[in-house]
Amino acid sequence: MNTYRHFVFITFLSVLLVGCASSQSPLHRSVGSELPKNIGVHGYSPVSYFENNQAELGDKSHVYQYKNRVYYFTSAAQVETFEMNPEKYLPKFGDYCPYSLALGRRVGIDPTNFKVHDGELLLFHDRIELSTVDVDAQRDTFDKAEKEFTLLKF
């Protein structure tokens, strides 16, 4: 990558990370925002990201409880799929934006801003992050996010 393009890329990434870090927006609440706090992925079906490549609100008639969280799905078939291997479908960083975690901050996600990369579900805070994400090129950012997320779990 030439020097100028590298400079532009680094500058843009810096602005993006500062913007994400300074945001104090709450966890995303969409249709059905009166959902209890134990609802996984804010009521969106984790299986839909993988099977349909889209964020789809689940139906309260298709539920599955896993690790003290309740997940909604679009169909009974999705419930069965999830039940066979729940960890495969859970967001890698839970309810947190990976860019913010890389900066040591906890900023919630908008479940409609997602990317499935190498079989892992990544959920982002906003569309700007999603539109600029290149997980392989930004590996150090995602490595930092993984370290911060590990600390959150303890």
Side-chain angles (χ1 to χ4, degrees):
M1 179 181 284
N2 70 36
T3 305
Y4 176 75
R5 289 181 69 203
H6 187 257
F7 172 77
V8 170
F9 175 75
I10 295 300
T11 301
F12 180 75
L13 183 59
S14 298
V15 169
L16 176 68
L17 290 174
V18 168
C20 182
S22 64
S23 174
Q24 297 300 317
S25 70
L27 294 178
H28 176 72
R29 295 291 180 219
S30 57
V31 176
S33 63
E34 301 305 314
L35 296 172
K37 290 181 181 180
N38 71 329
I39 301 298
V41 196
H42 304 285
Y44 284 77
S45 169
V47 175
S48 289
Y49 296 108
F50 293 88
E51 288 186 347
N52 303 328
N53 195 34
Q54 61 184 358
E56 296 179 312
L57 276 170
D59 185 320
K60 291 180 182 178
S61 63
H62 303 293
V63 300
Y64 186 80
Q65 185 169 346
Y66 181 72
K67 291 188 175 180
N68 297 320
R69 302 216 63 190
V70 176
Y71 295 91
Y72 295 148
F73 301 90
T74 61
S75 67
Q78 280 194 352
V79 174
E80 289 177 23
T81 299
F82 184 80
E83 192 174 29
M84 288 189 296
N85 187 2
E87 292 295 323
K88 173 183 176 180
Y89 299 99
L90 297 180
K92 181 174 178 110
F93 300 107
D95 289 333
Y96 299 104
C97 166
Y99 282 117
S100 298
L101 285 174
L103 295 171
R105 300 208 165 107
R106 299 175 188 176
V107 176
I109 50 92
D110 174 343
T112 63
N113 295 314
F114 73 96
K115 180 177 188 76
V116 175
H117 178 75
D118 285 342
E120 296 178 313
L121 176 60
L122 304 171
L123 299 173
F124 296 90
H125 167 74
D126 61 31
R127 285 189 181 117
I128 295 170
E129 293 161 354
L130 178 61
S131 67
T132 61
V133 70
D134 182 342
V135 179
D136 295 323
Q138 300 164 342
R139 191 69 252 162
D140 59 328
T141 300
F142 285 88
D143 289 344
K144 287 178 187 174
E146 286 183 50
K147 289 175 187 172
E148 289 296 322
F149 189 62
T150 301
L151 292 175
L152 276 175
K153 292 194 281 187
F154 288 108

